[in-house]
Amino acid sequence: MFEIKDATFEVNGKPILNPIEHTFHEGKVYGLIGHNGSGKSTLIKLMAQQQPVARGAIHFDQRPLSDWGHREFARQVAYLPQHLPSPESLTGRELVGFGRYPWHGLLGRHTQADEEAVERAIALTHTEAFADRLVDTLSGGERQRVWLAMLLAQGRRFLLLEEPLAALDIAHQIEVLALIRKLCDELDLGVVIVLHDINMASRYCDELMALHSGRLLAHGSPHELMRDSTLEAIYGLPMQVIRHPNGEHNIAVAQ
């Protein structure tokens, strides 16, 4: 599990993320919500070893992140940044194969175990139809599924996803989030995901963490946070929570 212990982040002495304390467990999807600049991406970058904490600490499996080597950590925790590199001239299967890098290095030869891990990841994400196609010819939603397959090829326990729905239309957003939810349930993965749509977050996440101005404003189940006053405090505008027509969950609408 991840343990955030009063972790902070600063730029030129200016606090970007104030002391935060929280624990993330495997087998759950955690949604980081809040307005732009609230600290969501900063927190996930700290968890992914992309930035060092200024004060406090972050532990994974009861060890400070600073004690983990990058490749050792990468075998356990996967990070998908918001801005992805262009996979020019790579097929889907080749991109998924890069997920095996932490196990044998960039120049190491793939073993039978590597090939099996790649094929299993492709099967889990239902990306067989894209395996032999060039990634840059895929749609946004198809491409995101291949990137998720690459993360799974590493056999990881946690996925840290920074705005994976950016630039996707509503249909592909639902497709990707439904897949993430399914993978969490089937593989007992821990998932921390930055989301902007509160209704998507409420529908697919087990727990929500609302950040505001670099502080943890509220956290709890979607049922606990989907309240008019709480959402107004998070987003700074009047919101009304109503029951979805199918009766399964609540949705929020701006007034």
Side-chain angles (χ1 to χ4, degrees):
M1 65 181 177
F2 271 103
E3 296 174 279
I4 316 296
K5 300 185 175 185
D6 290 328
T8 69
F9 185 71
E10 299 176 353
V11 174
N12 297 325
K14 179 182 178 181
I16 303 299
L17 194 68
N18 291 282
I20 284 183
E21 188 149 338
H22 199 74
T23 301
F24 299 88
H25 296 275
E26 293 174 56
K28 285 188 175 183
V29 178
Y30 297 85
L32 303 184
I33 61 173
H35 59 76
N36 288 339
S38 62
K40 305 183 301 296
S41 291
T42 299
L43 176 58
I44 211 165
K45 283 185 171 70
L46 294 180
M47 296 174 67
Q49 286 191 328
Q50 299 299 301
Q51 296 169 334
V53 297
R55 286 185 296 277
I58 298 179
H59 288 194
F60 180 69
D61 275 358
Q62 302 181 339
R63 291 169 55 191
L65 291 193
S66 57
D67 287 356
W68 287 83
H70 288 296
R71 282 177 57 183
E72 179 191 19
F73 184 72
R75 294 174 184 175
Q76 306 293 328
V77 180
Y79 169 60
L80 191 68
Q82 178 183 359
H83 302 293
L84 297 169
S86 177
E88 295 182 2
S89 302
L90 288 178
T91 66
R93 182 174 281 103
E94 289 169 337
L95 179 59
V96 176
F98 277 112
R100 301 304 295 170
Y101 163 75
W103 297 94
H104 53 63
L106 191 60
L107 300 179
R109 298 182 62 180
H110 274 202
T111 65
Q112 181 65 29
D114 292 319
E115 298 298 336
E116 290 174 357
V118 168
E119 294 305 318
R120 179 172 180 266
I122 290 173
L124 284 167
T125 53
H126 305 291
T127 50
E128 294 92 341
F130 317 133
D132 298 316
R133 290 178 55 185
L134 294 176
V135 177
D136 52 13
T137 68
L138 303 177
S139 70
E142 293 167 346
R143 194 178 298 121
Q144 286 296 78
R145 285 167 59 188
V146 173
W147 279 104
L148 285 173
M150 187 199 74
L151 303 185
L152 293 179
Q154 294 182 224
R156 289 156 165 173
R157 294 158 50 200
F158 264 89
L159 304 183
L160 307 179
L161 310 175
E162 185 185 358
E163 300 191 41
L165 306 185
L168 297 185
D169 60 39
I170 186 68
H172 284 121
Q173 289 181 28
I174 292 173
E175 176 186 337
V176 170
L177 277 178
L179 175 59
I180 291 169
R181 176 75 263 174
K182 181 173 180 285
L183 293 172
C184 171
D185 294 339
E186 290 184 356
L187 304 178
D188 200 35
L189 293 173
V191 180
V192 184
I193 180 172
V194 175
L195 294 170
H196 284 287
D197 189 320
I198 182 59
N199 291 318
M200 291 288 193
S202 172
R203 181 175 177 181
Y204 290 102
C205 296
D206 298 296
E207 185 175 330
L208 303 179
M209 292 181 61
L211 282 79
H212 191 288
S213 302
R215 299 182 183 276
L216 180 58
L217 182 65
H219 65 90
S221 68
H223 177 75
E224 292 170 322
L225 264 64
M226 289 290 281
R227 302 180 186 276
D228 299 358
S229 59
T230 303
L231 295 182
E232 182 172 356
I234 295 169
Y235 293 105
L237 75 163
M239 308 266 301
Q240 182 181 8
V241 177
I242 61 176
R243 197 69 177 165
H244 191 278
N246 66 17
E248 292 182 0
H249 59 277
N250 292 335
I251 59 174
V253 294
Q255 293 184 320

